[in-house]
Amino acid sequence: MSLFKRLLNPNYKSEEKAKRAEKADHSTYYPEQKLPIDEKFTYNFKNNGGKFIYCENWEEVTEAFDNIMIENDWYEQDVFCVNEMLSTKFDGFNLNFTKKSDSKFFLSTCESLVSNNGSILLSSNQIKEKKLNELPANFVIFATTSQIVDSISEGLRIIKNQSSGYIPSNITTIQDFETEKEKDFMSYGSSTKNLYLLLLEDL
């Protein structure tokens, strides 16, 4: 525990005693339990304020997308989307696919889903050269379970391996999805997004 937490936490001593007692219950050789990366991502993503929708097939993806449209009254609205696969897949939803920053929401794929902090890794493949604060406040991200990685460095390694000589620019992460939460001094300057994740099982 850091010095700041010790100073600010009056229950520090009692908490430390409880932790030592808990450790004593385990053997020295008992392995530390680790969550699978998919569970860890889900926990951290929701903890960041993201809205997570798990889908087993494409039919469930379209149903979930339809529910998002209804919930937010986004039908017949401009949608920022540069991905032709997504604009084709969701062509029957009466949306106007465009590249205008003032669109109602941003529809995109991503590079990776980062487990250890629940963030979404994006690059110029998804957002071109735009900054996060230049994109709509509402995101709908489509991803697959095979895109979950443990760390940002692993996600960057995948981008490099898949680049075939061309490494995309403007690589960034977003992990602040609670638009209504009160900002602390650590989160000023970050770009908060109202984010839905449609996660398709492909493993």
Side-chain angles (χ1 to χ4, degrees), residues 20-199:
R20 283 196 293 270
E22 185 179 344
K23 285 182 181 178
D25 290 339
H26 294 280
S27 165
T28 306
Y29 303 102
Y30 190 82
E32 182 183 348
Q33 289 187 332
K34 290 187 177 180
L35 284 175
I37 63 169
D38 55 346
E39 290 184 29
K40 186 164 63 170
F41 170 76
T42 303
Y43 173 81
N44 288 329
F45 176 77
K46 288 183 175 179
N47 198 45
N48 291 339
K51 302 174 182 69
F52 174 86
I53 306 168
Y54 172 80
C55 306
E56 292 187 346
N57 51 55
W58 192 260
E59 183 180 346
E60 291 186 3
V61 171
T62 55
E63 182 181 349
F65 186 79
D66 186 42
N67 289 334
I68 293 170
M69 298 299 102
I70 294 171
E71 177 185 334
N72 295 281
D73 194 21
W74 284 346
Y75 278 109
E76 301 180 4
Q77 299 288 339
D78 288 343
V79 182
F80 186 105
C81 182
V82 300
N83 186 288
E84 290 186 9
M85 181 273 290
L86 289 181
S87 58
T88 300
K89 287 285 190 181
F90 296 113
D91 186 47
F93 285 85
N94 199 19
L95 297 167
N96 179 31
F97 296 100
T98 181
K99 295 178 176 64
K100 295 193 299 184
S101 297
D102 61 349
S103 298
K104 184 60 71 173
F105 68 97
F106 173 60
L107 175 64
S108 180
T109 57
C110 66
E111 296 293 343
S112 294
L113 307 172
V114 183
S115 174
N116 66 7
N117 64 2
S119 68
I120 310 288
L121 184 63
L122 303 168
S123 77
S124 56
N125 289 332
Q126 293 84 37
I127 61 176
K128 299 303 181 184
E129 299 308 316
K130 291 189 177 293
K131 297 176 182 177
L132 289 177
N133 61 10
E134 296 174 332
L135 295 170
N138 303 299
F139 277 35
V140 178
I141 299 293
F142 170 76
T144 59
T145 51
S146 61
Q147 289 180 275
I148 300 175
V149 298
D150 188 55
S151 64
I152 292 174
S153 59
E154 186 179 343
L156 294 174
R157 194 159 51 245
I158 290 172
I159 291 175
K160 184 178 180 181
N161 293 340
Q162 293 178 344
S163 63
S164 302
Y166 165 75
I167 299 178
S169 59
N170 202 18
I171 297 172
T172 187
T173 60
I174 176 172
Q175 67 180 87
D176 186 359
F177 315 124
E178 293 187 275
T179 55
E180 301 301 321
K181 77 177 182 181
E182 185 176 341
K183 295 286 187 179
D184 59 27
F185 76 97
M186 291 295 289
S187 47
Y188 280 114
S190 65
S191 186
T192 303
K193 302 296 181 182
N194 173 39
L195 191 143
Y196 293 86
L197 174 63
L198 298 173
L199 184 65

